Amino acid sequence: MREITLQVKNTKDRLDRYLATQLSDLSRSRLQQLISEGNVKVNEQICKSKKATVQEGDRIQIHIPPAKPLQLQAEEIPLDILYEDEHLIILNKPAGLVVHPAASHEGGTLVNALLAHCPDIAGVGGVQRRPGIVHRLDKDTTGAIAIAKTDQAHQNLQAQLKAKTARREYLGIVCGAPKTESGTVDAPIGRHPKDRKKMAVVPIEKGGRPAVTHWRVKERLGNYTLMHFQLETGRTHQIRVHSAHIKLPIVGDPIYSSNHSVGVNLLGQALHAWRLTLQHPVSGEVIEAIAPLPETFNTLLEILRRRIQYS
């Protein structure tokens, strides 16, 4: 248990924003949780509004209770580790592995595996079912994913994603042949208006959120194309939705593609988080993690290349 007292000086700001500037070892989401749970007092009065304004002379007291144990079981699930130290871990996620628990996936997730590999991650980030998770990958999208081991690392890595200084690059095989060698899809994404399990391009005024994906051709394979994608934002299913939107759906995508048979038993979509580049949250050193392509992805490429060769 920790008790922190702060005297506000030379500022007038929202409570959660002010605390975030003063307490670098706690993420903003964790601070907002402490506020909403009544663990923050302003001038001796409990304040549960993160939007409350604090100003010079205010006295803030923060009570930080011990992290609640997760109602999740640690599971010995093998991890393909690309980079690890005491601050963060970068993994090569396989297809079929859900990142964090939900009602339909209480066990067998990446979080369950992380709790076994590094138990201290349990209280990181302030979101009980997503400890340390900075960004996510869809269940059947493979590749590099970063997880923070401390609140400081979690806050720093989230800030890098927000500032677009962290670089996320994907490789995907799409159905179709682009008319140009590169392009950008700038189209907001939100819940599908009729199917709530899907995402779609949705106008901002109807609930869509800005989403930008840059793409370029890496290899033309007849009526298929190996594409390089770079995310500027990180919306749910972003590359899959944007690819389908420009009539170049990801091969094997069970939701946004007609799922053409290509002679390979894909577990999901042919989309791989290939390279993740970020600054170390403590040292500032640039880390570049490259996740090798999964076997099924390479097999699909070989089949498509042979078709071109013998066509």
Side-chain angles (χ1 to χ4, degrees):
M1 181 175 67
R2 292 170 62 193
E3 294 282 355
I4 301 172
T5 301
L6 300 173
Q7 195 77 31
V8 181
K9 296 180 181 179
N10 302 321
T11 191
K12 184 175 183 180
D13 203 353
R14 256 176 57 156
L15 175 60
D16 60 337
R17 280 201 292 256
Y18 175 73
L19 292 179
T21 65
Q22 302 299 306
L23 304 171
S24 60
D25 62 328
L26 295 175
S27 68
R28 190 162 167 184
S29 61
R30 175 67 170 142
L31 290 167
Q32 290 174 342
Q33 181 187 41
L34 290 171
I35 294 167
S36 66
E37 292 177 352
N39 289 303
V40 176
K41 291 182 178 180
V42 178
N43 300 326
E44 308 300 329
Q45 299 295 317
I46 292 176
C47 180
K48 291 188 176 183
S49 172
K50 64 184 180 183
K51 297 181 180 180
T53 300
V54 294
Q55 54 193 344
E56 183 170 4
D58 286 345
R59 185 170 183 268
I60 305 173
Q61 296 167 287
I62 307 104
H63 168 71
I64 305 176
K68 297 178 182 177
L70 288 174
Q71 302 302 312
L72 298 171
Q73 297 297 317
E75 298 180 34
E76 294 291 342
I77 299 171
L79 296 174
D80 183 358
I81 298 172
L82 301 174
Y83 175 91
E84 183 177 19
D85 63 18
E86 66 269 30
H87 304 287
L88 78 155
I89 181 170
I90 303 176
L91 304 172
N92 183 13
K93 188 187 85 66
L97 183 63
V98 174
V99 171
H100 53 75
S104 57
H105 295 96
E106 286 290 339
T109 72
L110 179 61
V111 165
N112 296 103
L114 288 167
L115 290 173
H117 181 74
C118 41
D120 289 345
I121 206 169
V124 175
V127 181
Q128 195 175 25
R129 289 183 174 268
R130 293 185 289 173
I133 301 299
V134 179
H135 61 110
R136 63 184 294 274
L137 294 177
D138 299 333
K139 174 185 175 183
D140 293 328
T141 296
T142 57
I145 182 171
I147 298 98
K149 288 186 175 182
T150 67
D151 269 315
Q152 180 185 5
H154 191 268
Q155 185 175 6
N156 181 280
L157 293 173
Q158 283 192 324
Q160 289 187 48
L161 290 172
K162 185 175 181 180
K164 303 179 178 62
T165 55
R167 183 181 177 98
R168 290 171 289 167
E169 299 170 76
Y170 291 69
L171 294 177
I173 302 174
V174 303
C175 303
K179 294 180 180 179
T180 59
E181 292 302 305
S182 63
T184 295
V185 185
D186 185 349
I189 290 175
R191 285 288 169 192
H192 194 286
K194 295 182 180 179
D195 186 345
R196 303 303 292 174
K197 294 181 180 180
K198 295 175 62 174
M199 307 301 288
V201 170
V202 176
I204 296 289
E205 60 270 20
K206 293 188 177 180
R209 300 177 68 191
V212 179
T213 305
H214 305 287
W215 62 265
R216 61 180 171 84
V217 172
K218 278 190 69 73
E219 185 177 354
R220 293 185 179 272
L221 302 158
N223 197 39
Y224 296 90
T225 308
L226 174 63
M227 303 267 278
H228 174 279
F229 298 97
Q230 184 179 339
L231 290 179
E232 191 170 308
T233 52
R235 307 303 175 210
T236 301
H237 298 178
Q238 179 171 318
I239 292 175
R240 298 163 65 190
V241 171
H242 276 172
S243 294
H245 181 65
I246 59 174
K247 311 302 182 187
L248 296 168
I250 303 292
V251 170
D253 191 327
I255 299 177
Y256 303 103
S257 170
S258 55
N259 206 16
H260 302 290
S261 174
V262 286
V264 177
N265 185 23
L266 295 170
L267 185 56
Q269 56 275 357
L271 182 61
H272 178 71
W274 170 58
R275 179 161 57 190
L276 177 61
T277 307
L278 48 82
Q279 287 187 313
H280 191 278
V282 176
S283 70
E285 175 188 0
V286 175
I287 297 172
E288 180 183 86
I290 296 178
L293 289 169
E295 183 178 351
T296 53
F297 197 111
N298 278 321
T299 300
L300 176 55
L301 281 175
E302 290 171 9
I303 289 174
L304 295 174
R305 286 165 181 158
R306 283 201 299 267
R307 288 183 184 178
I308 296 297
Q309 183 179 355
Y310 295 111
S311 63

